[in-house]
Amino acid sequence: MVRVGLVGCGTIGSQVARALQRDYHHAARIVALNDCNHRQAALLQRRLTGHPPICSLPALVRKWLNAIFELLLKYKGVVRLGEVAEKLIQLSKDIRSVMEVLTDHKKTAAIVVTIPKAMAVVESERLINALKAGKIQCDWVVVNLAAQAGDCGLCTAYAADEAIWIDKAKRLCKNSAVIPYLADDIGGV
């Protein structure tokens, strides 16, 4: 069973999450959600089976824990810690082990999925930069729902407009794929 931590709970993240639970529930389980917009994460959390927890990024949580540990050391003679200190230490160890997995390029790689629109590509670039800052490798950018030029004048116009954003998205990562818009849903595995 693959455990999935979903970073980004907007339109694309929500679609991915629902597809995982609907079509791949036997092979994958969403274990955590994260989004800089907590409201979006909470909305998605309520819609998903099992209501996976909303987690802060591990590095941020570790910073908070370090600040708490500094306070605990400062007031160790004043306050009895006992069980609280043990739980904080275990949480710190758990976060360290998660960070080791996330930053191990042999065990973890991010795949960023976007659409060929200005805001989506800019937000994907921001996500990739945040991953790099956290030393998490991003191996692929997938551009989904790309319009295709053809007999339809409107489709050709959309494809021309999206070409700029597809090129920008492709430059975000060493590997990229473009998935065309399909009028019919894809079924099966």
Side-chain angles (χ1 to χ4, degrees):
M1 171 85 53
V2 175
R3 293 178 296 168
V4 176
L6 191 64
V7 178
C9 298
T11 302
I12 295 171
S14 295
Q15 289 178 356
V16 167
R18 286 194 297 267
L20 280 172
Q21 287 201 333
R22 182 184 64 237
D23 302 331
Y24 301 101
H25 58 90
H26 59 281
R29 183 170 58 98
I30 299 172
V31 296
L33 302 172
N34 175 273
D35 197 296
C36 58
N37 181 339
H38 186 78
R39 184 174 169 274
Q40 277 189 320
L43 286 171
L44 179 58
Q45 179 189 41
R46 284 194 295 269
R47 284 188 248 138
L48 295 175
T49 306
H51 308 294
I54 300 169
C55 299
S56 297
L57 293 175
L60 180 61
V61 175
R62 286 193 65 195
K63 287 181 185 178
W64 292 340
L65 284 172
N66 287 339
I68 291 169
F69 286 138
E70 286 178 21
L71 286 172
L72 292 176
L73 288 173
K74 183 175 180 180
Y75 296 106
K76 69 180 176 185
V78 178
V79 179
R80 261 190 64 213
L81 304 175
E83 190 177 323
V84 172
E86 289 175 24
K87 287 184 179 188
L88 288 171
I89 289 168
Q90 185 58 49
L91 179 60
S92 180
K93 288 177 182 177
D94 292 345
I95 290 169
R96 187 177 308 117
S97 68
V98 167
M99 287 304 296
E100 286 173 5
V101 170
L102 288 175
T103 57
D104 183 343
H105 303 309
K106 292 178 183 170
K107 293 181 180 177
T108 304
I111 299 171
V112 174
V113 180
T114 189
I115 57 174
K117 302 293 181 204
M119 186 170 74
V121 173
V122 168
E123 287 297 315
S124 296
E125 182 176 24
R126 195 171 66 110
L127 171 60
I128 290 169
N129 288 336
L131 291 170
K132 284 179 186 173
K135 297 183 176 78
I136 299 170
Q137 182 172 319
C138 179
D139 282 346
W140 282 85
V141 170
V142 177
V143 181
N144 197 13
L145 300 174
Q148 300 296 300
D151 296 337
C152 170
L154 184 59
C155 295
T156 301
Y158 275 135
D161 180 55
E162 292 176 353
I164 297 164
W165 299 107
I166 291 171
D167 288 340
K168 185 167 178 63
K170 285 179 171 182
R171 290 192 302 269
L172 294 176
C173 195
K174 63 182 177 181
N175 299 307
S176 63
V178 178
I179 301 172
Y181 171 79
L182 300 172
D184 299 319
D185 286 339
I186 299 172
V189 177

